[in-house]
Amino acid sequence: MGCTLSLELHHIDLTVNNQRYLDNINLTLESGAFNVLLGRTLAGKTSLLRVIAGLDKPTHGKIVLNGEDITTLAVQKRQVSMVYQQFINYPHMTVWENIASPLKLAKVSPSEITRRVSEIAELLHIEDFLQRLPVALSGGQQQRCAMARALVKDAQIILFDEPLVNLDYKLRESLRFELKALFKQRNSIAIYATTEAHEALALGGTTILLHQGKVLQSGGALAQYYQPANLNAADLYHEPPMNRVTLQVENGKWVVPFHHKNLVNVIANGLADGPYQCAIRPDQIALTNKDAEEIALAAKVDLAEISASETYLHVSLITPGYADIKWVVHLQGIHNFHYDADITLFLNLNSIYVFDQDGSSVCWPESIHLSNTQQAS
Ligand SMILES: Nc1ncnc2c1ncn2[C@@H]1O[C@H](COP(=O)(O)OP(=O)(O)OP(=O)(O)O)[C@@H](O)[C@H]1O
């Protein structure tokens, strides 16, 4: 493998009709691992990929590839390939011709084309279908063909725009695994856009969290999951979102309705007086008391939503002062509850995340210890 490639984005803005779609994006990405762009729909993922590809010009900012400013370089002159969520292949060409087409355009010699098409087809397990038309392939094979065409060029930057979204679960898993392995051996900068946190967690590498055209956080996915920089970053990793409650610190102590606990030594230690947004993951709430340190909250059931072997319990808190706050509890296994049933929620104070009123993280649960390699950035 050659030397590491680097792509730098400096202060990238994209504004169309006075609407800002990308807002001061600053990033440095390198070859050798997957870079994942994680954001909800309309976060600006495709817009950012298009700017990197040269399909759209940024309104402001600079793009530097291996030290060279490519901001105004035409798309045809960029060393970039893109894979879209729709399986885009030329329907009248065989799989072989589809994969070979970018090499023919680049005037690569016929013997080299044969070698490279065979090599990439083998890597993506489509070597037995090379003489078929795309229509005679399954969805997974069609997407492999589109990927092979993007990879065969050996471009320095390869952009994936939610490439597995139209495939079934099993296929997505195996293709994701293959892509990850493939990029360990290639000297290209891969950027993979997705709305799904579990893809970021599975792909590893650097994850860039995008929200309303802004980068919220960039670093390891696991670190972001445990140590989100803010509430929006935390929400990207949680579906349903974290449960929230606003609590007040007065004279260094939490003012809470949880009658039997003084929380000061657990999470209010050192916090300035004022209101905080506290959040707890839906899977960190139990219906049975496991530990004497847990606090109990009275609630009523609004809905028990059963999904495969899990239950999402939608509840309303009925603790005085916090009545009508809606939470979701994620339980393993199938649990049946009647509407309006009285239940008690148990939560461990060590599982609570604290954010300020603007949503920036103030402190993460004390129970979280990350290794040095997974520190959040
Ligand atoms: N050149 C442009 N002209 C008009 N609107 C644009 C342009 N570029 C981006 N947008 C707008 O930017 C917003 C962000 O869209 P974008 O497709 O980048 O989001 P996304 O994160 O990729 O979403 P999805 O996951 O749904 O694909 C959209 O409202 C889109 O219409």
Side-chain angles (χ1 to χ4, degrees):
M1 193 187 278
C3 58
T4 306
L5 305 176
S6 84
L7 175 71
E8 295 161 43
L9 306 183
H10 298 279
H11 308 292
I12 294 291
D13 284 350
L14 178 70
T15 304
V16 182
N17 297 333
N18 287 328
Q19 187 78 34
R20 186 165 291 191
Y21 294 119
L22 296 175
D23 192 349
N24 194 24
I25 307 266
N26 291 287
L27 286 174
T28 299
L29 304 173
E30 292 187 339
S31 53
F34 248 91
N35 298 287
V36 179
L37 199 52
L38 175 64
R40 295 224 190 275
T41 185
L42 300 186
K45 302 181 296 297
T46 303
S47 306
L48 185 56
L49 296 185
R50 287 178 60 85
V51 162
I52 293 171
L55 294 166
D56 287 326
K57 292 266 165 295
T59 318
H60 182 256
K62 201 160 79 167
I63 306 175
V64 177
L65 179 63
N66 307 323
E68 185 198 343
D69 186 341
I70 60 161
T71 319
T72 54
L73 194 67
V75 59
Q76 302 82 354
K77 297 204 170 143
R78 291 192 191 196
Q79 284 271 340
V80 180
S81 296
M82 195 148 167
V83 181
Y84 300 88
Q85 51 179 261
Q86 303 82 5
F87 318 137
I88 299 178
N89 293 304
Y90 301 113
H92 59 287
M93 292 183 183
T94 63
V95 171
W96 193 95
E97 288 164 340
N98 263 284
I99 303 173
S101 60
L103 299 180
K104 283 187 182 162
L105 265 178
K107 309 239 180 314
V108 174
S109 72
S111 60
E112 179 66 5
I113 292 181
T114 304
R115 190 188 70 73
R116 278 164 67 176
V117 171
S118 308
E119 186 185 78
I120 200 73
E122 206 170 310
L123 267 175
L124 285 166
H125 309 298
I126 46 173
E127 68 272 34
D128 294 339
F129 314 116
L130 287 172
Q131 296 317 319
R132 290 195 196 169
L133 290 174
V135 71
L137 300 177
S138 70
Q141 290 159 350
Q142 287 182 45
Q143 189 60 315
R144 279 167 206 261
C145 176
M147 281 186 191
R149 206 176 57 244
L151 294 174
V152 80
K153 276 197 324 191
D154 248 345
Q156 294 188 338
I157 303 173
I158 306 192
L159 308 172
F160 296 91
D161 195 359
E162 302 184 54
L164 308 182
V165 79
N166 290 319
L167 301 177
D168 72 42
Y169 176 76
K170 246 346 295 123
L171 256 177
R172 296 173 74 161
E173 261 196 343
S174 66
L175 262 178
R176 195 185 301 127
F177 181 76
E178 283 169 28
L179 272 178
K180 187 177 168 178
L182 206 65
F183 274 86
K184 278 209 173 122
Q185 306 154 22
R186 293 177 73 94
N187 198 21
S188 329
I189 298 168
I191 310 177
Y192 184 105
T194 180
T195 54
E196 295 184 28
H198 72 92
E199 291 212 283
L201 288 161
L203 285 163
T206 300
T207 300
I208 301 126
L209 303 184
L210 202 64
H211 178 72
Q212 296 180 346
K214 287 192 181 127
V215 173
L216 296 176
Q217 193 170 2
S218 139
L222 205 56
Q224 293 169 347
Y225 176 80
Y226 284 119
Q227 301 187 339
N230 47 54
L231 262 171
N232 288 325
D235 280 347
L236 285 179
Y237 280 97
H238 295 94
E239 189 58 51
M242 281 188 170
N243 297 302
R244 290 146 200 223
V245 64
T246 299
L247 296 179
Q248 195 81 21
V249 173
E250 271 177 31
N251 304 320
K253 294 189 175 189
W254 289 106
V255 180
V256 290
F258 316 137
H259 52 92
H260 60 301
K261 275 285 169 194
N262 172 359
L263 309 189
V264 66
N265 294 324
V266 187
I267 52 173
N269 212 1
L271 294 185
D273 284 1
Y276 292 90
Q277 300 188 69
C278 296
I280 185 157
R281 301 208 315 255
D283 60 355
Q284 294 288 310
I285 300 173
L287 298 188
T288 49
N289 192 359
K290 295 193 201 88
D291 174 342
E293 288 297 297
E294 284 177 341
I295 57 168
L297 287 174
K300 275 191 184 290
V301 172
D302 293 331
L303 173 76
E305 189 186 339
I306 294 165
S307 163
S309 58
E310 301 169 330
T311 305
Y312 293 91
L313 202 57
H314 297 251
V315 302
S316 298
L317 303 189
I318 52 173
T319 305
Y322 291 84
D324 291 334
I325 290 181
K326 307 277 184 199
W327 278 9
V328 178
V329 182
H330 180 187
L331 302 169
Q332 288 304 322
I334 293 172
H335 303 264
N336 282 312
F337 289 90
H338 297 296
Y339 168 73
D340 224 24
D342 283 306
I343 53 168
T344 307
L345 311 178
F346 294 95
L347 50 104
N348 193 311
L349 299 175
N350 282 325
S351 308
I352 291 180
Y353 288 74
V354 182
F355 302 89
D356 66 17
Q357 283 301 85
D358 296 329
S360 297
S361 277
V362 173
C363 57
W364 301 298
E366 289 197 347
S367 54
I368 290 172
H369 298 288
L370 296 175
S371 69
N372 289 337
T373 53
Q374 275 290 350
Q375 290 302 309
S377 59

